[in-house]
Amino acid sequence: MITLSIIGTGNVAFHLAHAFSTAQGINLQFVAGRNQKSLVDFKEFASTTTTLTKTHKSDVIIIAVSDVVISEICNELEGIDSLIVHTSGSTSIEVLNTLKRYGVFYPLQTFTKSKKLNYSKIPFCIEVKLEGDLSILKSLSESLNAESYAVNSTERAALHLAAVFSNNFSNHILTEAKQLCYDNGVSFNLLKPLLEETIEKAFALGPENSQTGPAKRGDTITIDKQLSALTRTGQRAIYNTLTQSILKHYE
Amino acid sequence: MITLSIIGTGNVAFHLAHAFSTAQGINLQFVAGRNQKSLVDFKEFASTTTTLTKTHKSDVIIIAVSDVVISEICNELEGIDSLIVHTSGSTSIEVLNTLKRYGVFYPLQTFTKSKKLNYSKIPFCIEVKLEGDLSILKSLSESLNAESYAVNSTERAALHLAAVFSNNFSNHILTEAKQLCYDNGVSFNLLKPLLEETIEKAFALGPENSQTGPAKRGDTITIDKQLSALTRTGQRAIYNTLTQSILKHYE
């Protein structure tokens, strides 16, 4: 049995607390947050506390807070024997280097509080200072039936950046696509099969072998027609940048 | 039984010929192309021909060629009694207005020759000049177990533009994400669960309610760190344009 505490009350903390509260071989002891209000939704998963020292006796402490607050939390945990990990994609393991035992437990997924997740489909990127601690992080991901991958801080930063492109930028493009549909009275839902196929093709054939459309074909007539149909400035900027990039990539 | 011919030898023609060759209630008579070489892959689906007049006796003729060639093909079909439809998202139905009976049969999907498709998951956007012809196009999509939607030329152009954003632009962003992974020695496949969740969330919650990441949070520290980590000019342009657009959208 691994005893565990989580520090933080955001989306990542919420989903990890939810998952670990029912995981085999894990005893989720405390979720710690700034104030009682932020902890309300966590009461069903574990004991909640605003006193960080309560977490000190757990085998593992997961710090799931904003990147800029990690070092501040870290200061309050110095000297204790627990394995302490953060969950940030873009933050080096070294931010924790004043601790005895430390590491990273980064879930490569997008978290929204209201959206249920299949935890077994989250790849965990793990890194530890002391090699002996690797098996503990592996056990944590195994308890969620999830895969884990040993990834160093440089590789993790690259993965996080690739995730920003893949998720953040694609999702914003979908936001603009939905606006286009709305502005013209057509249903955004009609695009769902296209997007499912887009992802399937990107991983089956590779996105570089799946590109289609006017820019890939160098079809400047359609490009000009579509640009003049776009009335929103932000959409024109996105259309221009991506079209130029595709034209250059396949010229 | 509806007799059908297809004019064109590209990816859309290939997939439609493949699908209709085994569809219930459809007799795929001819696939017509410029030359015998382009028709080789179609011989297993139907009789092939380089003589357009052979298609004239079919109940329906599908023109699945590049947008710019549609009117040229149309000239060669004037005066015949078949229902003649094109498959272009961005081309008005009126490009065919010298014909007796005409319409549009636009599959809202991305087609790559080597990638098998689940035809029942393709929404067909249909439009006809003569209302009586609508039921024929409905029957065509039903023969593939696919859904059809009556969509006029303006709506279809908007859907096509939304599809360019959703598929073409997202796919190119994935190409850059894969390059980032490759440049840093990490596996692009680790991003697959993230992307599946991105699409699921976009349609379950709406993309406007699913946005996460540094730009959504206004986290300029991470944004500056990631921009300075990007060494390729094209990636910096995409990062800048999308980040500015997200910042403005959620400010």
Side-chain angles (χ1 to χ4, degrees), chain B residues 112-139:
Chain B
T112 298
K113 207 165 178 180
S114 60
K115 174 71 175 60
K116 275 199 178 172
L117 279 169
N118 179 355
Y119 297 96
S120 70
K121 288 193 70 185
I122 302 177
F124 284 91
C125 301
I126 59 180
E127 183 180 9
V128 287
K129 181 64 178 179
L130 307 174
E131 210 181 313
D133 286 333
L134 199 65
S135 62
I136 299 181
L137 296 188
K138 279 187 184 167
S139 299

PDB file of all heavy atoms in Angstrom, chain B residues 112-139:
ATOM      1  N   THR B 112      -7.610   9.969 -48.540  1.00  0.00           N
ATOM      2  CA  THR B 112      -6.269   9.589 -48.975  1.00  0.00           C
ATOM      3  C   THR B 112      -6.413   8.187 -49.549  1.00  0.00           C
ATOM      4  O   THR B 112      -7.066   7.336 -48.957  1.00  0.00           O
ATOM      5  CB  THR B 112      -5.281   9.585 -47.792  1.00  0.00           C
ATOM      6  OG1 THR B 112      -5.195  10.916 -47.268  1.00  0.00           O
ATOM      7  CG2 THR B 112      -3.888   9.162 -48.228  1.00  0.00           C
ATOM      8  N   LYS B 113      -5.829   8.004 -50.739  1.00  0.00           N
ATOM      9  CA  LYS B 113      -6.088   6.769 -51.472  1.00  0.00           C
ATOM     10  C   LYS B 113      -5.806   5.519 -50.646  1.00  0.00           C
ATOM     11  O   LYS B 113      -6.589   4.575 -50.632  1.00  0.00           O
ATOM     12  CB  LYS B 113      -5.261   6.749 -52.754  1.00  0.00           C
ATOM     13  CG  LYS B 113      -5.873   5.919 -53.855  1.00  0.00           C
ATOM     14  CD  LYS B 113      -5.211   6.235 -55.186  1.00  0.00           C
ATOM     15  CE  LYS B 113      -5.800   5.360 -56.289  1.00  0.00           C
ATOM     16  NZ  LYS B 113      -5.180   5.648 -57.591  1.00  0.00           N
ATOM     17  N   SER B 114      -4.689   5.544 -49.918  1.00  0.00           N
ATOM     18  CA  SER B 114      -4.247   4.322 -49.231  1.00  0.00           C
ATOM     19  C   SER B 114      -5.004   4.053 -47.930  1.00  0.00           C
ATOM     20  O   SER B 114      -4.809   3.022 -47.305  1.00  0.00           O
ATOM     21  CB  SER B 114      -2.754   4.440 -48.914  1.00  0.00           C
ATOM     22  OG  SER B 114      -2.526   5.568 -48.083  1.00  0.00           O
ATOM     23  N   LYS B 115      -5.868   4.992 -47.499  1.00  0.00           N
ATOM     24  CA  LYS B 115      -6.515   4.846 -46.196  1.00  0.00           C
ATOM     25  C   LYS B 115      -7.966   4.408 -46.371  1.00  0.00           C
ATOM     26  O   LYS B 115      -8.772   5.123 -46.940  1.00  0.00           O
ATOM     27  CB  LYS B 115      -6.453   6.193 -45.466  1.00  0.00           C
ATOM     28  CG  LYS B 115      -7.208   6.269 -44.152  1.00  0.00           C
ATOM     29  CD  LYS B 115      -6.531   5.466 -43.040  1.00  0.00           C
ATOM     30  CE  LYS B 115      -7.231   5.665 -41.709  1.00  0.00           C
ATOM     31  NZ  LYS B 115      -8.633   5.260 -41.711  1.00  0.00           N
ATOM     32  N   LYS B 116      -8.274   3.212 -45.856  1.00  0.00           N
ATOM     33  CA  LYS B 116      -9.645   2.695 -45.916  1.00  0.00           C
ATOM     34  C   LYS B 116     -10.585   3.594 -45.125  1.00  0.00           C
ATOM     35  O   LYS B 116     -10.209   4.128 -44.083  1.00  0.00           O
ATOM     36  CB  LYS B 116      -9.705   1.278 -45.346  1.00  0.00           C
ATOM     37  CG  LYS B 116      -9.359   0.226 -46.365  1.00  0.00           C
ATOM     38  CD  LYS B 116      -9.871  -1.152 -45.917  1.00  0.00           C
ATOM     39  CE  LYS B 116      -9.562  -2.198 -46.973  1.00  0.00           C
ATOM     40  NZ  LYS B 116      -9.857  -3.558 -46.502  1.00  0.00           N
ATOM     41  N   LEU B 117     -11.811   3.723 -45.592  1.00  0.00           N
ATOM     42  CA  LEU B 117     -12.781   4.583 -44.914  1.00  0.00           C
ATOM     43  C   LEU B 117     -13.996   3.787 -44.481  1.00  0.00           C
ATOM     44  O   LEU B 117     -14.382   2.806 -45.120  1.00  0.00           O
ATOM     45  CB  LEU B 117     -13.241   5.692 -45.862  1.00  0.00           C
ATOM     46  CG  LEU B 117     -12.315   6.896 -46.014  1.00  0.00           C
ATOM     47  CD1 LEU B 117     -12.773   7.763 -47.170  1.00  0.00           C
ATOM     48  CD2 LEU B 117     -12.296   7.713 -44.734  1.00  0.00           C
ATOM     49  N   ASN B 118     -14.604   4.250 -43.389  1.00  0.00           N
ATOM     50  CA  ASN B 118     -15.907   3.744 -42.995  1.00  0.00           C
ATOM     51  C   ASN B 118     -16.941   4.669 -43.636  1.00  0.00           C
ATOM     52  O   ASN B 118     -17.197   5.761 -43.143  1.00  0.00           O
ATOM     53  CB  ASN B 118     -16.001   3.771 -41.463  1.00  0.00           C
ATOM     54  CG  ASN B 118     -17.348   3.291 -40.978  1.00  0.00           C
ATOM     55  OD1 ASN B 118     -18.243   3.024 -41.774  1.00  0.00           O
ATOM     56  ND2 ASN B 118     -17.500   3.188 -39.678  1.00  0.00           N
ATOM     57  N   TYR B 119     -17.493   4.217 -44.772  1.00  0.00           N
ATOM     58  CA  TYR B 119     -18.349   5.105 -45.555  1.00  0.00           C
ATOM     59  C   TYR B 119     -19.590   5.540 -44.804  1.00  0.00           C
ATOM     60  O   TYR B 119     -20.135   6.616 -45.038  1.00  0.00           O
ATOM     61  CB  TYR B 119     -18.718   4.454 -46.890  1.00  0.00           C
ATOM     62  CG  TYR B 119     -17.479   4.232 -47.734  1.00  0.00           C
ATOM     63  CD1 TYR B 119     -16.825   3.008 -47.753  1.00  0.00           C
ATOM     64  CD2 TYR B 119     -16.922   5.284 -48.446  1.00  0.00           C
ATOM     65  CE1 TYR B 119     -15.658   2.822 -48.480  1.00  0.00           C
ATOM     66  CE2 TYR B 119     -15.759   5.116 -49.176  1.00  0.00           C
ATOM     67  CZ  TYR B 119     -15.131   3.874 -49.188  1.00  0.00           C
ATOM     68  OH  TYR B 119     -13.973   3.718 -49.901  1.00  0.00           O
ATOM     69  N   SER B 120     -20.030   4.707 -43.879  1.00  0.00           N
ATOM     70  CA  SER B 120     -21.239   5.061 -43.134  1.00  0.00           C
ATOM     71  C   SER B 120     -20.987   6.267 -42.227  1.00  0.00           C
ATOM     72  O   SER B 120     -21.924   6.841 -41.701  1.00  0.00           O
ATOM     73  CB  SER B 120     -21.718   3.876 -42.306  1.00  0.00           C
ATOM     74  OG  SER B 120     -20.820   3.655 -41.244  1.00  0.00           O
ATOM     75  N   LYS B 121     -19.740   6.658 -42.044  1.00  0.00           N
ATOM     76  CA  LYS B 121     -19.450   7.804 -41.179  1.00  0.00           C
ATOM     77  C   LYS B 121     -19.172   9.083 -41.975  1.00  0.00           C
ATOM     78  O   LYS B 121     -18.661  10.057 -41.431  1.00  0.00           O
ATOM     79  CB  LYS B 121     -18.281   7.484 -40.241  1.00  0.00           C
ATOM     80  CG  LYS B 121     -18.677   6.495 -39.146  1.00  0.00           C
ATOM     81  CD  LYS B 121     -17.660   6.423 -38.056  1.00  0.00           C
ATOM     82  CE  LYS B 121     -17.625   7.671 -37.218  1.00  0.00           C
ATOM     83  NZ  LYS B 121     -16.562   7.665 -36.207  1.00  0.00           N
ATOM     84  N   ILE B 122     -19.491   9.059 -43.273  1.00  0.00           N
ATOM     85  CA  ILE B 122     -19.300  10.266 -44.086  1.00  0.00           C
ATOM     86  C   ILE B 122     -20.629  11.002 -44.240  1.00  0.00           C
ATOM     87  O   ILE B 122     -21.577  10.451 -44.790  1.00  0.00           O
ATOM     88  CB  ILE B 122     -18.762   9.908 -45.482  1.00  0.00           C
ATOM     89  CG1 ILE B 122     -17.437   9.143 -45.361  1.00  0.00           C
ATOM     90  CG2 ILE B 122     -18.591  11.165 -46.324  1.00  0.00           C
ATOM     91  CD1 ILE B 122     -16.873   8.701 -46.694  1.00  0.00           C
ATOM     92  N   PRO B 123     -20.745  12.255 -43.752  1.00  0.00           N
ATOM     93  CA  PRO B 123     -21.968  13.010 -44.022  1.00  0.00           C
ATOM     94  C   PRO B 123     -21.917  13.555 -45.462  1.00  0.00           C
ATOM     95  O   PRO B 123     -20.942  14.195 -45.838  1.00  0.00           O
ATOM     96  CB  PRO B 123     -21.915  14.167 -43.010  1.00  0.00           C
ATOM     97  CG  PRO B 123     -20.647  14.015 -42.239  1.00  0.00           C
ATOM     98  CD  PRO B 123     -19.788  13.002 -42.933  1.00  0.00           C
ATOM     99  N   PHE B 124     -22.964  13.260 -46.257  1.00  0.00           N
ATOM    100  CA  PHE B 124     -23.039  13.806 -47.617  1.00  0.00           C
ATOM    101  C   PHE B 124     -23.903  15.058 -47.617  1.00  0.00           C
ATOM    102  O   PHE B 124     -25.055  15.014 -47.171  1.00  0.00           O
ATOM    103  CB  PHE B 124     -23.600  12.760 -48.585  1.00  0.00           C
ATOM    104  CG  PHE B 124     -22.596  11.705 -48.952  1.00  0.00           C
ATOM    105  CD1 PHE B 124     -22.495  10.527 -48.219  1.00  0.00           C
ATOM    106  CD2 PHE B 124     -21.723  11.899 -50.020  1.00  0.00           C
ATOM    107  CE1 PHE B 124     -21.553   9.555 -48.540  1.00  0.00           C
ATOM    108  CE2 PHE B 124     -20.774  10.929 -50.346  1.00  0.00           C
ATOM    109  CZ  PHE B 124     -20.692   9.755 -49.604  1.00  0.00           C
ATOM    110  N   CYS B 125     -23.336  16.163 -48.091  1.00  0.00           N
ATOM    111  CA  CYS B 125     -24.099  17.407 -48.218  1.00  0.00           C
ATOM    112  C   CYS B 125     -24.664  17.449 -49.631  1.00  0.00           C
ATOM    113  O   CYS B 125     -23.900  17.465 -50.602  1.00  0.00           O
ATOM    114  CB  CYS B 125     -23.197  18.608 -47.981  1.00  0.00           C
ATOM    115  SG  CYS B 125     -22.427  18.571 -46.351  1.00  0.00           S
ATOM    116  N   ILE B 126     -25.990  17.417 -49.740  1.00  0.00           N
ATOM    117  CA  ILE B 126     -26.594  17.300 -51.066  1.00  0.00           C
ATOM    118  C   ILE B 126     -27.423  18.538 -51.421  1.00  0.00           C
ATOM    119  O   ILE B 126     -27.977  19.214 -50.552  1.00  0.00           O
ATOM    120  CB  ILE B 126     -27.454  16.010 -51.199  1.00  0.00           C
ATOM    121  CG1 ILE B 126     -28.579  15.994 -50.161  1.00  0.00           C
ATOM    122  CG2 ILE B 126     -26.579  14.776 -51.034  1.00  0.00           C
ATOM    123  CD1 ILE B 126     -29.468  14.748 -50.251  1.00  0.00           C
ATOM    124  N   GLU B 127     -27.463  18.828 -52.716  1.00  0.00           N
ATOM    125  CA  GLU B 127     -28.204  19.981 -53.236  1.00  0.00           C
ATOM    126  C   GLU B 127     -28.626  19.631 -54.661  1.00  0.00           C
ATOM    127  O   GLU B 127     -27.853  19.001 -55.384  1.00  0.00           O
ATOM    128  CB  GLU B 127     -27.287  21.219 -53.241  1.00  0.00           C
ATOM    129  CG  GLU B 127     -27.970  22.495 -53.698  1.00  0.00           C
ATOM    130  CD  GLU B 127     -27.027  23.713 -53.690  1.00  0.00           C
ATOM    131  OE1 GLU B 127     -25.806  23.517 -53.492  1.00  0.00           O
ATOM    132  OE2 GLU B 127     -27.525  24.833 -53.889  1.00  0.00           O
ATOM    133  N   VAL B 128     -29.840  20.011 -55.039  1.00  0.00           N
ATOM    134  CA  VAL B 128     -30.307  19.733 -56.410  1.00  0.00           C
ATOM    135  C   VAL B 128     -30.987  20.968 -56.992  1.00  0.00           C
ATOM    136  O   VAL B 128     -31.477  21.833 -56.259  1.00  0.00           O
ATOM    137  CB  VAL B 128     -31.313  18.554 -56.448  1.00  0.00           C
ATOM    138  CG1 VAL B 128     -30.625  17.224 -56.214  1.00  0.00           C
ATOM    139  CG2 VAL B 128     -32.439  18.763 -55.440  1.00  0.00           C
ATOM    140  N   LYS B 129     -31.005  21.062 -58.315  1.00  0.00           N
ATOM    141  CA  LYS B 129     -31.725  22.145 -58.985  1.00  0.00           C
ATOM    142  C   LYS B 129     -33.222  21.828 -58.991  1.00  0.00           C
ATOM    143  O   LYS B 129     -34.037  22.677 -58.659  1.00  0.00           O
ATOM    144  CB  LYS B 129     -31.205  22.296 -60.419  1.00  0.00           C
ATOM    145  CG  LYS B 129     -31.884  23.406 -61.193  1.00  0.00           C
ATOM    146  CD  LYS B 129     -31.595  24.764 -60.554  1.00  0.00           C
ATOM    147  CE  LYS B 129     -32.243  25.897 -61.350  1.00  0.00           C
ATOM    148  NZ  LYS B 129     -31.997  27.204 -60.717  1.00  0.00           N
ATOM    149  N   LEU B 130     -33.567  20.580 -59.371  1.00  0.00           N
ATOM    150  CA  LEU B 130     -34.975  20.164 -59.440  1.00  0.00           C
ATOM    151  C   LEU B 130     -35.313  19.331 -58.209  1.00  0.00           C
ATOM    152  O   LEU B 130     -34.697  18.287 -57.981  1.00  0.00           O
ATOM    153  CB  LEU B 130     -35.230  19.337 -60.711  1.00  0.00           C
ATOM    154  CG  LEU B 130     -34.795  19.994 -62.030  1.00  0.00           C
ATOM    155  CD1 LEU B 130     -34.963  19.015 -63.193  1.00  0.00           C
ATOM    156  CD2 LEU B 130     -35.596  21.273 -62.289  1.00  0.00           C
ATOM    157  N   GLU B 131     -36.280  19.790 -57.427  1.00  0.00           N
ATOM    158  CA  GLU B 131     -36.553  19.165 -56.138  1.00  0.00           C
ATOM    159  C   GLU B 131     -36.782  17.655 -56.234  1.00  0.00           C
ATOM    160  O   GLU B 131     -36.414  16.902 -55.332  1.00  0.00           O
ATOM    161  CB  GLU B 131     -37.762  19.840 -55.484  1.00  0.00           C
ATOM    162  CG  GLU B 131     -37.672  19.795 -53.959  1.00  0.00           C
ATOM    163  CD  GLU B 131     -38.891  20.457 -53.310  1.00  0.00           C
ATOM    164  OE1 GLU B 131     -39.261  21.568 -53.746  1.00  0.00           O
ATOM    165  OE2 GLU B 131     -39.458  19.842 -52.382  1.00  0.00           O
ATOM    166  N   GLY B 132     -37.373  17.229 -57.344  1.00  0.00           N
ATOM    167  CA  GLY B 132     -37.656  15.804 -57.537  1.00  0.00           C
ATOM    168  C   GLY B 132     -36.402  14.941 -57.538  1.00  0.00           C
ATOM    169  O   GLY B 132     -36.487  13.720 -57.335  1.00  0.00           O
ATOM    170  N   ASP B 133     -35.253  15.559 -57.769  1.00  0.00           N
ATOM    171  CA  ASP B 133     -34.001  14.788 -57.819  1.00  0.00           C
ATOM    172  C   ASP B 133     -33.385  14.548 -56.443  1.00  0.00           C
ATOM    173  O   ASP B 133     -32.446  13.763 -56.304  1.00  0.00           O
ATOM    174  CB  ASP B 133     -32.980  15.504 -58.719  1.00  0.00           C
ATOM    175  CG  ASP B 133     -33.325  15.361 -60.203  1.00  0.00           C
ATOM    176  OD1 ASP B 133     -33.982  14.355 -60.561  1.00  0.00           O
ATOM    177  OD2 ASP B 133     -32.945  16.243 -60.979  1.00  0.00           O
ATOM    178  N   LEU B 134     -33.917  15.218 -55.419  1.00  0.00           N
ATOM    179  CA  LEU B 134     -33.327  15.093 -54.083  1.00  0.00           C
ATOM    180  C   LEU B 134     -33.356  13.643 -53.592  1.00  0.00           C
ATOM    181  O   LEU B 134     -32.380  13.142 -53.015  1.00  0.00           O
ATOM    182  CB  LEU B 134     -34.073  15.998 -53.090  1.00  0.00           C
ATOM    183  CG  LEU B 134     -33.327  16.328 -51.800  1.00  0.00           C
ATOM    184  CD1 LEU B 134     -32.082  17.152 -52.090  1.00  0.00           C
ATOM    185  CD2 LEU B 134     -34.216  17.101 -50.835  1.00  0.00           C
ATOM    186  N   SER B 135     -34.475  12.964 -53.879  1.00  0.00           N
ATOM    187  CA  SER B 135     -34.624  11.597 -53.378  1.00  0.00           C
ATOM    188  C   SER B 135     -33.583  10.659 -53.999  1.00  0.00           C
ATOM    189  O   SER B 135     -33.182   9.678 -53.375  1.00  0.00           O
ATOM    190  CB  SER B 135     -36.042  11.080 -53.664  1.00  0.00           C
ATOM    191  OG  SER B 135     -36.247  11.045 -55.051  1.00  0.00           O
ATOM    192  N   ILE B 136     -33.139  10.966 -55.208  1.00  0.00           N
ATOM    193  CA  ILE B 136     -32.117  10.113 -55.845  1.00  0.00           C
ATOM    194  C   ILE B 136     -30.786  10.237 -55.091  1.00  0.00           C
ATOM    195  O   ILE B 136     -30.132   9.239 -54.795  1.00  0.00           O
ATOM    196  CB  ILE B 136     -31.933  10.496 -57.335  1.00  0.00           C
ATOM    197  CG1 ILE B 136     -33.255  10.300 -58.088  1.00  0.00           C
ATOM    198  CG2 ILE B 136     -30.819   9.662 -57.971  1.00  0.00           C
ATOM    199  CD1 ILE B 136     -33.184  10.629 -59.563  1.00  0.00           C
ATOM    200  N   LEU B 137     -30.424  11.472 -54.751  1.00  0.00           N
ATOM    201  CA  LEU B 137     -29.158  11.649 -54.016  1.00  0.00           C
ATOM    202  C   LEU B 137     -29.262  11.058 -52.609  1.00  0.00           C
ATOM    203  O   LEU B 137     -28.283  10.510 -52.080  1.00  0.00           O
ATOM    204  CB  LEU B 137     -28.769  13.129 -53.965  1.00  0.00           C
ATOM    205  CG  LEU B 137     -28.473  13.786 -55.318  1.00  0.00           C
ATOM    206  CD1 LEU B 137     -27.915  15.192 -55.129  1.00  0.00           C
ATOM    207  CD2 LEU B 137     -27.497  12.945 -56.138  1.00  0.00           C
ATOM    208  N   LYS B 138     -30.468  11.157 -52.025  1.00  0.00           N
ATOM    209  CA  LYS B 138     -30.672  10.498 -50.717  1.00  0.00           C
ATOM    210  C   LYS B 138     -30.465   8.992 -50.841  1.00  0.00           C
ATOM    211  O   LYS B 138     -29.847   8.364 -49.989  1.00  0.00           O
ATOM    212  CB  LYS B 138     -32.080  10.790 -50.194  1.00  0.00           C
ATOM    213  CG  LYS B 138     -32.197  12.157 -49.532  1.00  0.00           C
ATOM    214  CD  LYS B 138     -33.566  12.298 -48.878  1.00  0.00           C
ATOM    215  CE  LYS B 138     -33.751  13.695 -48.300  1.00  0.00           C
ATOM    216  NZ  LYS B 138     -35.149  13.970 -47.935  1.00  0.00           N
ATOM    217  N   SER B 139     -30.997   8.419 -51.921  1.00  0.00           N
ATOM    218  CA  SER B 139     -30.843   6.975 -52.130  1.00  0.00           C
ATOM    219  C   SER B 139     -29.373   6.600 -52.296  1.00  0.00           C
ATOM    220  O   SER B 139     -28.932   5.554 -51.812  1.00  0.00           O
ATOM    221  CB  SER B 139     -31.616   6.524 -53.370  1.00  0.00           C
ATOM    222  OG  SER B 139     -32.981   6.790 -53.199  1.00  0.00           O
TER     223      SER B 139
END
